[in-house]
Amino acid sequence: MWNHMRRGRGWSIAGLIGLVGLVVLLAGCGGAASYGASGAATSQDSSHAPSRGSTGSAGAAGSPSSGSTGTSTQPPSPQYLIKSLGVNMTAPDPRKAASDLQAWILATDPKAQSAGLSYAQDGASFDISMTFNVEASLYPQVESYLAGYAQGHGGKLLNLRESVQDVTNDFVDSQSRLTNLRAEQQRLLSLMNRAQSLADVLTIEQRLTDVEGQIEDIQTHLALLSGQTAYYTVQIEVSPLDSTTVAPPEAWNPGQIFHQALGAALVFGQGLLTLLIWLGVFALYIVPAIALIWFGRRLVVRRRATRLSAPPTSPAR
C-alpha cells in the first residue's frame, strides 16, 4: 500500500510538473505571437509613416524646398551685353522736344553722359541729333520713355532700332587669361630672384616684359568692355513734323528793301572799284601794248597810202 501511495504521489508530482510546463509553453507561444503581431504592425506603420529624416529627403526630391535649392542649383553665370539704341522721331518743335528729352534723361539718370549734340537748320526748321551714354540698369526705362514720347507730344515715331552684342565669352576668356598671366608673372619674379647666371636673368627678364605687356593689353581691353557693358549708347534724332512745309512769305517792308538795294549798290561799287584798281596796276603792261599796236597800225596805213598815191611807171620801150 505504501508503494501504491508512493507511486500515486509520483504520478501526481509528474502531472503537476507537466501541467506547469504546458502553461509556460502556452504563455511563451502567446507572448511570441503577440510580439510578432505587434512587431509586424509596427513595421507596417513605419513603412507607411516616414520618419523625420525620410520626410526631409522626400521633400528634397519631390518639392523644391529652399534648403535643397540652395545646395543643388548653381547660380546663373553673369552675362555681359553691349547695347545701343537709335530713335528717330518727328515733333512740332524739334528744339523744344530735344530740350525736354535731354532734361528728362539727365534727371532720370544723373550719371548719364552726353556724347554729342548737333543742330542742322534748313530754313525755319531744325534737325537735331543727340547721343547719350546711360546706365545699363536704367536703360529699359529710357527705352520705354523714348518709344512713347513722340505720340504723347504731337509727333510721330519714325524708327526705333536696338542692337545687342553678347561679349560674355570675350569677357570670361580675358579674365581667365589675365589670371594665368599674373600667375606666370609671379613665377617669373620668383625665378628672377633665384637666378644666378646673367643669361638666365636676361631670358627671364625678356619673358617677364612680354608677360607684363600682355597683362596691360588685357586690362585695357577689360576696362573698355566694362565701360561698354555698364553704360549703353542712346542716339536720338528729332526732325520737324513736316519737313516739306514752306515758310510763309514775309510782309512787304520798304525799309528792308531800301537796305537790300543799298547793300547791292555797295557790292556793285566795290566790284567796280576793284576792277579799276586791277586795271591801274596792269596799265604798266596794257598801255605800252596798246601804243605799239596803234603805231604799228598807223605805219601800215601810211605805207599803203604811199603806194596808192605814187604815179604808175610806164614800161620801157
Side-chain angles (χ1 to χ4, degrees), residues 18-35:
L19 181 60
V20 172
L22 180 61
V23 172
V24 171
L25 180 61
L26 292 176
C29 292
S34 61
Y35 176 77

Side-chain angles (χ1 to χ4, degrees), residues 64 137 146 163-164 188 199 232 263 281 285 309:
S137 58
L146 293 178
S163 62
V164 181
L188 291 173
Y232 295 157
V281 172
Y285 307 99
S309 61

Side-chain angles (χ1 to χ4, degrees), residues 86-205:
V87 182
N88 189 357
M89 67 178 71
T90 60
D93 188 352
R95 288 181 294 180
K96 183 179 182 304
S99 178
D100 293 344
L101 291 173
Q102 183 178 14
W104 184 89
I105 290 176
L106 295 178
T108 304
D109 183 6
K111 296 183 179 180
Q113 301 173 356
S114 176
L117 177 64
S118 64
Y119 280 72
Q121 185 174 4
D122 183 11
S125 62
F126 289 87
D127 292 327
I128 304 174
S129 177
M130 303 181 296
T131 304
F132 298 93
N133 293 326
V134 301
E135 289 187 89
S137 58
L138 297 174
Y139 172 81
Q141 184 177 355
V142 174
E143 181 183 11
S144 176
Y145 182 80
L146 293 178
Y149 176 84
Q151 186 176 1
H153 292 79
K156 182 180 180 181
L157 179 64
L158 300 180
N159 189 12
L160 189 148
R161 58 195 180 277
E162 180 187 49
S163 62
V164 181
Q165 182 182 1
D166 191 350
V167 294
T168 303
N169 293 334
D170 188 7
F171 203 94
V172 173
D173 292 342
S174 298
Q175 286 182 331
S176 178
R177 290 175 54 198
L178 181 61
T179 302
N180 295 333
L181 288 172
R182 283 176 175 171
E184 186 175 359
Q185 181 186 26
Q186 295 300 322
R187 183 177 62 83
L188 291 173
L189 291 174
S190 178
L191 291 175
M192 177 74 74
N193 294 331
R194 296 197 303 267
Q196 297 180 356
S197 64
L198 180 60
D200 293 341
V201 172
L202 294 177
T203 302
I204 296 173
E205 185 176 1

